[in-house]
């Protein structure tokens, strides 16, 4: 990630595991090479939008800033969007276009500004001067959250920024900032204290010296939230920010919370603010008709006052000062200046931003917790943008189906599962709902078609019988009045690899069920610190109570049963304990005191029990809720008696998850707030993976054992898969010192699936890319091939070339795909295409060779192609299919050569009209010589009949039918007769003309 990780050149012959010759900040691109992540969404529920921005002169151009999914641009009025900010922080606070150069100059302030408990963080302000193709960070790196950016319409070098600042602790980089040199330098204009930031900032469109700033005092912790205080206020400046004064006449007395602010573009004397006050009756919408000199409360409806920290955005119709839209649970619109409101039309709840079209105010765009919506009738009806894959996963898991399914829970969007690949790509219709509310962990029963899912705080835990379409709630409940179960908002669940019906959940206790949740027993004491000062969630919220359950604390957060010993169970808590039992829960040991260098009470976010040694485990800690943004990950090999840090300065962003490889104990994958990191030496060195992998928060990682796919649940870009990480298992100093190293490969199953998946209705939808079914030739190059010839051939075991492929020549891992097919046959030229000639027949299953020639060196690797074990074809069926297909393949090429010779004869037969007439008459029976490729098509001739049958056999999984074999006999007889007639004509032709043509072999190689 540029700005966070500085790219550099590796000053060594290869990546060195001893670290002596390695540049610590290398991104890893030269190592990972062609290993590329693929995105499968889903987008049907999309994800939270923080900010919308419309081009000031082109109504078709719209920008969307996602809470965790980056910046997206639409050039077609919101029909579709494309990402333009993937290399950088994906948590977006504000987007602004320079009104004097909106096509080129864009500013992005990072850090979401609706600070719920699960928000990510920002890393400063970015600028693009080429429409978003390239970006440069221009300051405010420690602001954490930027609420707004304003460019002076009279002077592009003058920029104002509202820095909300840190959420989880004190920070000095807050308030209103100004640059007078296009962002090169910054000066802070308005600052209150280290706990109060600028939540909103607007400029008078008729006077750039007039600014209004909303200052908000706030603080969140892992166990509570405090909105409001004596320092929250609304300020006005009339001198470009040089001086400020409060404009509170008409405001409620006492402490204030978050204040939204909006100015009417059509009448800048009209201002609106939404005030969070101490008394409920004083909260609500206030209006000023005199540029803020005095205020009047207009509305106190629930839709206006609900959750002010999350819904404070006010937007005024640019053409009508009395049309106002307010964010909220449903979003509210007023057409009488704020006196009355009605809800916007049906869409996903939680409305965060609204934008009016510059041409027609009936056209509106709305940013919600479920993506972007469009309205064409002033907000009465809305439709979702279907191609924004911004889903925010908390956890994911996979099963062992073929193709495997991915299961996971989403922020505000329930729980789902869907296939890792699907005919036509992974579409919205492929995803299945298995839970409501905020979804978290979703687990497939190890042996039965049953799925476990949950919603926030274990309010409901479901066991869903997929086959019978039945669900049952199974969460552990209190069994006495004295014990209150404390479940985390993101309550831990896990299944057992030893006893399939065993199911674990965690409150402050470990709950175990041996019958899939029908009955429960507690197998631990309270494993948390049980600190009563962190158990007052009923008071959370500050001026507005906000006890959603998200702040539940002193709870168990992660449970891991050893895959090697069912009696070894690891537990991590949100208040910093790491507990282990070696006797199935009879006794527990708290190992946290053995972890050196970890700040006290740091949240244990994940524990990974090793598959290699039952005393080995990895623990990941997340300190960001205590304003500690450092990554922490430790390893123990002795049941927690000692722990070793495996984090280096290579890693940027606090960590949430770690995944151990199943074959190489030194290969580890770390999910951080800024992306995926990989180590191949047990944590001595880490490399960031950036190949089609945005700098998104990776909340959970799973490794599918059969396919070796690394599956990531990201909090902003849905499910991202790194297919087949097995080459990484082999990388070491010895391998990377070789000129070329072929990686081991598993047999490739020849894909013979066929279906009728159409694209109708998907034109504007996101479709996830499927895993390739090709055979893949994977090799490592010590250095990039730049001089001399390099070639790659696929040969049979006798050394006969089947096809030549373009080799990868980059340093690092190269992957070359082959669809196990021969090249298309050479087809006779005619007036029209013969579409059957585009078929490429598969080679039969067997052993083949990849042969790379690099200069004077030759490298070979054998690999296997196999048929699907589910296939019903016999060996004789396969033999008949292959022989018949190749018979037609050879006939097609032979016919092409006949027509080539015939055309050569026609070109010289200008004087012999009789011969020319006979040649043309023959040609008309061989290929189409009139018409076009569509409605003007002519009667099919031999070429069309031959290639049509050829494509049917080549593209069919089955053996030829009797009808096809009979048809082949007809075609073969007709071709033989045609060749006989042609040979007679050639004899006559040669009596008066020499035929100068290529040989058959040269013809087949020609273009």
């Amino acid at each position: 990630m540029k700005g966070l990780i500085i790219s550099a050149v590796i000053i060594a012959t290869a990546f060195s595991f001893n670290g002596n010759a390695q540049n610590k900040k290398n991104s890893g691109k030269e190592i990972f090479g062609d290993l590329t992540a693929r995105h499968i969404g889903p987008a049907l529920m999309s994800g939270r939008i923080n900010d919308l921005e419309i081009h000031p002169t082109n109504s078709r151009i719209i920008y969307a800033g996602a809470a965790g999914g980056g910046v997206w641009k639409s050039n077609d009025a919101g029909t579709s969007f494309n990402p333009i900010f993937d290399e950088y922080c994906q948590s977006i606070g504000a987007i602004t276009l320079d009104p004097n150069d909106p096509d080129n100059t864009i500013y992005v302030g990072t850090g979401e500004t609706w600070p719920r408990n699960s928000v990510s963080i920002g890393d400063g302000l970015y600028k693009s001067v080429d429409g978003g193709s390239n970006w440069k960070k221009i300051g405010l790196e420690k602001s954490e959250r930027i609420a707004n950016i304003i460019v002076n319409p009279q002077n592009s070098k003058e920029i104002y920024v509202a820095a909300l600042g840190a959420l989880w602790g004190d920070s000095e980089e807050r308030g209103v900032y100004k640059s007078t040199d296009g962002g090169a330098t910054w000066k802070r204009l308005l600052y209150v204290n280290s706990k109060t930031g600028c939540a909103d900032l607007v400029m008078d469109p008729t006077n750039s010296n007039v600014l209004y700033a909303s200052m908000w005092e706030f603080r969140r912790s892992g166990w509570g939230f405090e909105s409001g205080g004596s320092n929250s206020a609304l300020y006005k400046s009339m001198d470009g920010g040089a001086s400020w004064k409060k404009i509170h006449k008409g405001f409620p007395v006492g402490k204030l919370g978050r204040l939204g602010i909006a100015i009417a573009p059509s009448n800048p004397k009209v201002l609106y603010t939404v005030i969070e006050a101490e008394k409920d009756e004083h909260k609500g919408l206030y209006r000023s008709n005199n540029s803020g000199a005095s205020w009047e409360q207009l509305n106190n409806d629930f839709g206006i006052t609900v959750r002010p920290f999350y819904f404070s955005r006010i937007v005024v119709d640019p053409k009508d000062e009395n049309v106002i839209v307010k964010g909220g649970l449903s979003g509210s619109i007023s057409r009488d200046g704020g006196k009355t409101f009605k809800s916007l039309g049906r869409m996903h709840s939680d409305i965060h931003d609204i934008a009016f079209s510059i041409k027609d105010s009936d056209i509106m765009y709305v940013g919600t917790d479920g993506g972007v919506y469009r309205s064409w009738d002033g907000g009465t009806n809305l439709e979702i943008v279907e191609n924004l894959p911004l889903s925010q996963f908390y956890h994911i898991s996979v099963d062992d189906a073929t193709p495997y399914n991915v299961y996971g829970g989403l922020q505000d969007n329930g729980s789902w599962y869907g296939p890792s690949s699907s005919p036509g790509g992974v579409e919205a219709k492929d995803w299945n709902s298995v839970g409501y509310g905020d979804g978290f962990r979703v687990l497939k029963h190890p042996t039965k078609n049953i799925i476990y899912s949950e919603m926030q705080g274990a309010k409901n835990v479901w066991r869903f019988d997929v086959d019978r379409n039945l669900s049952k709630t199974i969460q552990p409940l209190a069994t006495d009045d004295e014990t209150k179960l404390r479940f985390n908002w993101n309550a831990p669940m896990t299944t057992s690899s030893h006893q399939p019906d065993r199911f674990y959940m965690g409150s402050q206790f470990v709950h175990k069920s041996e019958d899939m949740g029908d009955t429960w027993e507690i197998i631990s004491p309270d494993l948390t610190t049980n600190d009563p000062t962190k158990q007052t969630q009923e008071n959370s919220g500050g001026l507005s109570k906000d006890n959603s359950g998200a702040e539940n604390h002193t709870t168990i957060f992660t449970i891991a049963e050893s895959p090697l010993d069912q009696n070894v169970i690891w537990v991590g808590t949100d208040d910093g304990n790491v507990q282990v039992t070696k006797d199935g829960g009879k006794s527990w040991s708290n190992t946290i005191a053995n972890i050196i260098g970890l700040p006290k009470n740091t949240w244990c976010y994940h524990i990974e029990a090793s598959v290699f040694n039952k005393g080995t485990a990895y623990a990941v800690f997340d300190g960001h809720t205590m304003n500690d943004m450092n990554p922490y990950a430790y390893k123990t090999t002795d049941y927690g008696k000692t722990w070793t840090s495996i984090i280096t300065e290579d890693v940027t962003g606090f960590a949430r998850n770690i995944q151990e490889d199943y074959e190489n104990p030194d290969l580890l994958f770390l999910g951080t707030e800024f992306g995926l990191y990989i180590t191949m030496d047990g944590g001595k060195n880490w490399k960031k993976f950036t190949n089609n992998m945005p700098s998104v928060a990776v909340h959970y990682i799973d490794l599918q054992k059969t396919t070796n796919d690394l599956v990531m649940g990201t909090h902003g870009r849905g499910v991202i898969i790194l297919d087949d990480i097995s080459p990484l298992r082999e990388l070491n100093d010895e391998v990377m010192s070789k000129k070329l190293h072929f990686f081991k490969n598993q047999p490739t199953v020849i894909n013979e699936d066929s279906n009728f998946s159409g694209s109708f209705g998907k034109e504007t939808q996101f479709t996830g890319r499927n895993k390739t079914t090709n055979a893949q030739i994977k090799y490592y190059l010590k250095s990039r091939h730049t001089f001399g010839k390099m070639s790659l051939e696929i040969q049979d075991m006798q050394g006969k070339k089947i096809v030549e492929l373009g080799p990868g020549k980059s340093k690092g891992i190269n992957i070359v795909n082959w669809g196990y097919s021969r090249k298309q046959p050479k087809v006779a030229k005619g007036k029209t295409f013969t579409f059957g000639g585009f078929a490429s027949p598969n080679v039969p299953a067997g052993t083949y060779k990849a042969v790379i020639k690099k200069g004077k060196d030759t490298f070979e690797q054998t690999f296997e192609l196999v048929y699907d074990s589910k296939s019903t074809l016999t060996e004789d069926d396969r033999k008949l299919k292959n022989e018949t297909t190749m018979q037609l393949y050879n006939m097609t090429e032979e016919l092409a050569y006949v027509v080539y010779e015939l055309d050569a004869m026609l070109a010289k037969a200008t004087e012999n009209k009789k011969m020319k007439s006979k040649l043309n008459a023959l040609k008309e029976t061989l290929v189409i010589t009139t018409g076009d490729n569509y409605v003007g098509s002519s009667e099919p001739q031999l070429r069309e009949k031959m290639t049509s049958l050829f494509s049917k056999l080549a593209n069919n999984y089955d053996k030829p039918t009797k009808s096809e074999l009979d048809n082949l006999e007809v075609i073969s007889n007709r071709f033989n007769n045609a060749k006989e007639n042609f040979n007679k004509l050639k004899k006559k032709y040669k009596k008066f003309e020499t035929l100068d043509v290529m040989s058959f072999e040269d013809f087949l190689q020609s273009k």
Side-chain angles (χ1 to χ4, degrees), residues 21 241-242 295 301 308 374 419 461 470 508 529 704 740 796 825 906 1000:
W295 298 86
D301 292 347
R374 297 172 294 177
V461 178
L470 294 172
Q508 68 268 45
T529 63
Q704 214 283 339
L740 186 149
D796 62 22
L906 278 168
F1000 179 61

Side-chain angles (χ1 to χ4, degrees), residues 5 15 22-28 31-32 618 633 645-652 657-659 666-672 676-689:
I5 301 216
F15 171 75
Q22 175 196 308
N23 187 303
K24 295 290 185 181
K25 297 299 181 182
N26 176 50
S27 69
I31 298 170
F32 302 131
Y618 301 86
S645 173
I646 56 171
I647 292 294
T648 68
E649 63 182 22
D650 303 320
V651 180
T652 301
N657 196 252
I658 196 166
Q659 175 66 49
D666 288 331
L667 179 58
L668 303 170
F669 304 89
L670 185 72
T672 78
L676 173 68
Y677 286 83
I678 301 175
T679 179
M680 290 163 281
D681 56 11
K684 296 182 181 69
N685 298 279
W686 292 88
K687 294 295 178 185
K688 188 174 184 183
F689 186 86

